[in-house]
Amino acid sequence: MRIGVLADTHILDREQDIPAKILEEFRGVDLILLAGDLTILSVLNRLRKIAPVTAVYGNMDLPEVVKAIKRKEIITCGKFKIGLFHGFGHPDKIIDQLKTEFKDDKVDVIVFGHSHRPMNEYVGDTLFFNPGSPNDKLFEPFNSYGIIDINDKITAQ
């Protein structure tokens, strides 16, 4: 299974659309995960033209987004479980927040956003994966997105 991963798109807040290069890269993925701060619901419709989408809301999402999607999701992919959450508060405390949020869920991967900083790192047995932001260069000098491949193991980039 190939999964496209986005967070912090901030459409109509900071940008008008997801970059065309990312939309092209996502063609052929089996699933798209969106870890919050999409800002408006039309982002989901745009991505659903490419593949099924599972999304959670973030701290910058409009009330209509918060009503339409969940705060937290757990997705089963074969023998693996992925936790999906945006994150809130100070970015330096986000890993502790995520550990607490998923402490009883036994997930293999935690996909998150909020910090706009890419992360692809194991903490203990759990992969913490943040794709960064495809649009915003507020905290990093580049834009980014993620791809997770799940077969008999998990590979993320």
Side-chain angles (χ1 to χ4, degrees):
M1 174 175 240
R2 189 167 181 87
I3 304 169
V5 185
L6 290 173
D8 299 294
T9 56
H10 293 278
I11 302 300
L12 290 182
D13 175 21
R14 298 186 184 134
E15 289 296 325
Q16 295 299 311
D17 199 1
I18 297 165
K21 176 183 177 6
I22 293 172
L23 296 173
E24 183 61 33
E25 289 288 326
F26 281 9
R27 301 238 177 256
V29 300
D30 301 297
L31 175 66
I32 297 171
L33 298 180
L34 180 48
D37 280 0
L38 45 152
T39 313
I40 60 173
L41 282 175
S42 63
V43 174
L44 295 178
N45 297 330
R46 177 88 161 109
L47 293 171
R48 286 181 178 137
K49 291 177 182 176
I50 298 170
V53 178
T54 299
V56 294
Y57 66 79
N59 60 302
M60 299 295 290
D61 288 317
L62 295 176
E64 67 183 27
V65 175
V66 174
K67 288 179 188 174
I69 58 180
K70 296 179 183 177
R71 178 178 177 269
K72 170 182 169 180
E73 288 276 2
I74 297 178
I75 304 101
T76 301
C77 299
K79 65 180 183 178
F80 299 105
K81 287 169 74 175
I82 300 173
L84 181 63
F85 191 72
H86 180 66
F88 299 91
H90 197 284
D92 291 346
K93 305 274 187 204
I94 199 162
I95 298 302
D96 291 335
Q97 179 189 56
L98 294 166
K99 285 179 182 178
T100 299
E101 188 69 36
F102 290 99
K103 70 179 180 190
D104 297 325
D105 297 311
K106 296 182 174 45
V107 294
D108 301 288
V109 181
I110 297 174
V111 172
F112 65 101
H114 189 56
S115 70
H116 297 214
R117 293 182 183 125
M119 181 178 184
N120 184 10
E121 178 178 323
Y122 276 89
V123 178
D125 293 333
T126 305
L127 175 61
F128 285 75
F129 190 80
N130 185 330
S133 175
N135 298 323
D136 189 12
K137 294 182 183 175
L138 187 62
F139 300 109
E140 294 292 331
F142 53 84
N143 296 125
S144 57
Y145 63 95
I147 298 287
I148 298 175
D149 288 302
I150 296 180
N151 296 302
D152 57 334
K153 64 180 183 168
I154 299 168
T155 307
Q157 57 183 338

